[in-house]
Short mmCIF file of all heavy atoms in Angstrom, two decimals:
data_model
loop_
_atom_site.label_atom_id
_atom_site.label_comp_id
_atom_site.label_asym_id
_atom_site.label_seq_id
_atom_site.Cartn_x
_atom_site.Cartn_y
_atom_site.Cartn_z
N LEU A 34 78.49 18.47 -164.48
CA LEU A 34 77.77 17.74 -163.45
C LEU A 34 77.86 16.24 -163.67
O LEU A 34 78.06 15.48 -162.73
CB LEU A 34 76.30 18.18 -163.44
CG LEU A 34 75.99 19.44 -162.66
CD1 LEU A 34 74.57 19.86 -162.91
CD2 LEU A 34 76.22 19.23 -161.18
N GLY A 96 83.24 27.04 -145.77
CA GLY A 96 82.31 25.95 -145.55
C GLY A 96 81.12 26.07 -146.48
O GLY A 96 80.85 27.13 -147.05
N ALA A 97 80.40 24.98 -146.65
CA ALA A 97 79.17 24.97 -147.44
C ALA A 97 78.15 24.13 -146.70
O ALA A 97 78.50 23.21 -145.94
CB ALA A 97 79.42 24.42 -148.84
N ALA A 98 76.87 24.44 -146.92
CA ALA A 98 75.81 23.75 -146.19
C ALA A 98 74.59 23.55 -147.07
O ALA A 98 74.34 24.31 -148.01
CB ALA A 98 75.42 24.53 -144.94
N LEU A 138 76.87 17.81 -151.89
CA LEU A 138 77.30 18.98 -152.66
C LEU A 138 78.73 18.77 -153.14
O LEU A 138 79.53 18.10 -152.48
CB LEU A 138 77.24 20.25 -151.82
CG LEU A 138 75.89 20.71 -151.29
CD1 LEU A 138 76.07 21.98 -150.46
CD2 LEU A 138 74.91 20.95 -152.43
N THR A 139 79.05 19.35 -154.28
CA THR A 139 80.42 19.40 -154.78
C THR A 139 80.77 20.87 -154.98
O THR A 139 80.03 21.60 -155.64
CB THR A 139 80.58 18.63 -156.09
OG1 THR A 139 80.30 17.24 -155.85
CG2 THR A 139 82.00 18.76 -156.63
N VAL A 140 81.89 21.30 -154.39
CA VAL A 140 82.28 22.70 -154.43
C VAL A 140 83.59 22.82 -155.19
O VAL A 140 84.59 22.18 -154.83
CB VAL A 140 82.43 23.29 -153.01
CG1 VAL A 140 82.78 24.77 -153.09
CG2 VAL A 140 81.15 23.08 -152.20
N VAL A 141 83.59 23.65 -156.24
CA VAL A 141 84.77 23.83 -157.10
C VAL A 141 85.24 25.28 -156.97
O VAL A 141 84.47 26.21 -157.23
CB VAL A 141 84.45 23.49 -158.57
CG1 VAL A 141 85.69 23.71 -159.44
CG2 VAL A 141 83.95 22.06 -158.69
N VAL A 157 83.66 30.38 -157.47
CA VAL A 157 83.14 29.31 -156.61
C VAL A 157 81.86 28.78 -157.23
O VAL A 157 80.91 29.54 -157.44
CB VAL A 157 82.87 29.81 -155.18
CG1 VAL A 157 82.39 28.65 -154.31
CG2 VAL A 157 84.12 30.45 -154.59
N SER A 158 81.84 27.50 -157.54
CA SER A 158 80.65 26.86 -158.09
C SER A 158 80.23 25.73 -157.15
O SER A 158 81.04 24.89 -156.78
CB SER A 158 80.91 26.31 -159.49
OG SER A 158 81.18 27.36 -160.40
N ILE A 159 78.94 25.75 -156.78
CA ILE A 159 78.39 24.74 -155.87
C ILE A 159 77.39 23.91 -156.66
O ILE A 159 76.40 24.43 -157.18
CB ILE A 159 77.71 25.39 -154.66
CG1 ILE A 159 78.70 26.29 -153.91
CG2 ILE A 159 77.16 24.33 -153.72
CD1 ILE A 159 78.07 27.11 -152.80
N PHE A 160 77.64 22.61 -156.75
CA PHE A 160 76.82 21.70 -157.54
C PHE A 160 76.05 20.76 -156.60
O PHE A 160 76.62 20.21 -155.66
CB PHE A 160 77.69 20.85 -158.47
CG PHE A 160 78.47 21.65 -159.46
CD1 PHE A 160 79.74 22.10 -159.16
CD2 PHE A 160 77.93 21.96 -160.70
CE1 PHE A 160 80.48 22.84 -160.07
CE2 PHE A 160 78.65 22.71 -161.62
CZ PHE A 160 79.93 23.15 -161.31
N ASN A 161 74.78 20.59 -156.88
CA ASN A 161 74.00 19.60 -156.15
C ASN A 161 74.12 18.27 -156.88
O ASN A 161 73.41 18.01 -157.85
CB ASN A 161 72.54 20.02 -156.05
CG ASN A 161 71.68 18.97 -155.36
OD1 ASN A 161 72.19 18.01 -154.79
ND2 ASN A 161 70.37 19.15 -155.42
N VAL A 170 70.88 26.26 -149.34
CA VAL A 170 72.30 26.14 -149.69
C VAL A 170 73.04 27.41 -149.27
O VAL A 170 72.61 28.52 -149.57
CB VAL A 170 72.46 25.90 -151.20
CG1 VAL A 170 73.94 25.93 -151.61
CG2 VAL A 170 71.83 24.58 -151.59
N ARG A 171 74.15 27.23 -148.56
CA ARG A 171 74.92 28.36 -148.05
C ARG A 171 76.41 28.14 -148.30
O ARG A 171 76.88 27.01 -148.47
CB ARG A 171 74.71 28.55 -146.54
CG ARG A 171 73.28 28.81 -146.13
CD ARG A 171 73.20 29.10 -144.63
NE ARG A 171 71.83 29.28 -144.17
CZ ARG A 171 71.51 29.66 -142.95
NH1 ARG A 171 72.46 29.93 -142.06
NH2 ARG A 171 70.23 29.79 -142.61
N TYR A 172 77.14 29.26 -148.27
CA TYR A 172 78.61 29.24 -148.36
C TYR A 172 79.14 30.25 -147.36
O TYR A 172 78.60 31.36 -147.22
CB TYR A 172 79.06 29.62 -149.77
CG TYR A 172 80.57 29.66 -149.96
CD1 TYR A 172 81.27 28.53 -150.38
CD2 TYR A 172 81.30 30.83 -149.75
CE1 TYR A 172 82.65 28.56 -150.57
CE2 TYR A 172 82.68 30.87 -149.94
CZ TYR A 172 83.35 29.73 -150.35
OH TYR A 172 84.71 29.78 -150.54
N PHE A 248 71.75 30.92 -150.83
CA PHE A 248 71.29 30.77 -152.21
C PHE A 248 69.98 30.02 -152.35
O PHE A 248 69.59 29.68 -153.46
CB PHE A 248 72.37 30.07 -153.05
CG PHE A 248 73.71 30.74 -152.95
CD1 PHE A 248 74.72 30.19 -152.19
CD2 PHE A 248 73.94 31.95 -153.57
CE1 PHE A 248 75.95 30.82 -152.07
CE2 PHE A 248 75.16 32.58 -153.46
CZ PHE A 248 76.17 32.02 -152.71
N LEU A 251 68.26 24.09 -154.18
CA LEU A 251 68.74 23.61 -155.47
C LEU A 251 68.12 22.25 -155.76
O LEU A 251 68.18 21.34 -154.93
CB LEU A 251 70.27 23.46 -155.48
CG LEU A 251 71.13 24.72 -155.46
CD1 LEU A 251 72.61 24.33 -155.44
CD2 LEU A 251 70.84 25.61 -156.66
N GLU A 255 71.15 21.00 -160.20
CA GLU A 255 71.29 22.45 -160.30
C GLU A 255 72.60 22.90 -159.64
O GLU A 255 73.19 22.20 -158.82
CB GLU A 255 70.12 23.16 -159.62
CG GLU A 255 68.85 23.14 -160.45
CD GLU A 255 67.79 24.06 -159.87
OE1 GLU A 255 67.75 24.23 -158.64
OE2 GLU A 255 67.00 24.60 -160.65
N SER A 256 73.02 24.12 -160.01
CA SER A 256 74.25 24.66 -159.46
C SER A 256 74.11 26.16 -159.26
O SER A 256 73.22 26.79 -159.82
CB SER A 256 75.44 24.37 -160.39
OG SER A 256 75.25 25.01 -161.65
N VAL A 257 75.00 26.72 -158.47
CA VAL A 257 75.07 28.16 -158.26
C VAL A 257 76.53 28.57 -158.34
O VAL A 257 77.43 27.80 -157.95
CB VAL A 257 74.45 28.55 -156.91
CG1 VAL A 257 75.22 27.95 -155.76
CG2 VAL A 257 74.35 30.06 -156.75
N SER A 258 76.79 29.76 -158.86
CA SER A 258 78.17 30.20 -159.06
C SER A 258 78.31 31.67 -158.71
O SER A 258 77.40 32.46 -158.97
CB SER A 258 78.58 29.96 -160.52
OG SER A 258 79.90 30.38 -160.75
N PHE A 259 79.43 32.03 -158.08
CA PHE A 259 79.73 33.43 -157.78
C PHE A 259 81.25 33.58 -157.76
O PHE A 259 81.98 32.61 -158.02
CB PHE A 259 79.12 33.84 -156.43
CG PHE A 259 79.59 33.02 -155.26
CD1 PHE A 259 80.62 33.45 -154.46
CD2 PHE A 259 78.98 31.80 -154.96
CE1 PHE A 259 81.06 32.69 -153.38
CE2 PHE A 259 79.42 31.04 -153.88
CZ PHE A 259 80.45 31.48 -153.10
#
Side-chain angles (χ1 to χ4, degrees):
L34 277 171
L138 297 179
T139 297
V140 182
V141 179
V157 182
S158 295
I159 303 173
F160 299 90
N161 177 10
V170 173
R171 300 185 184 187
Y172 179 91
F248 307 104
L251 289 179
E255 284 190 329
S256 63
V257 64
S258 180
F259 59 96

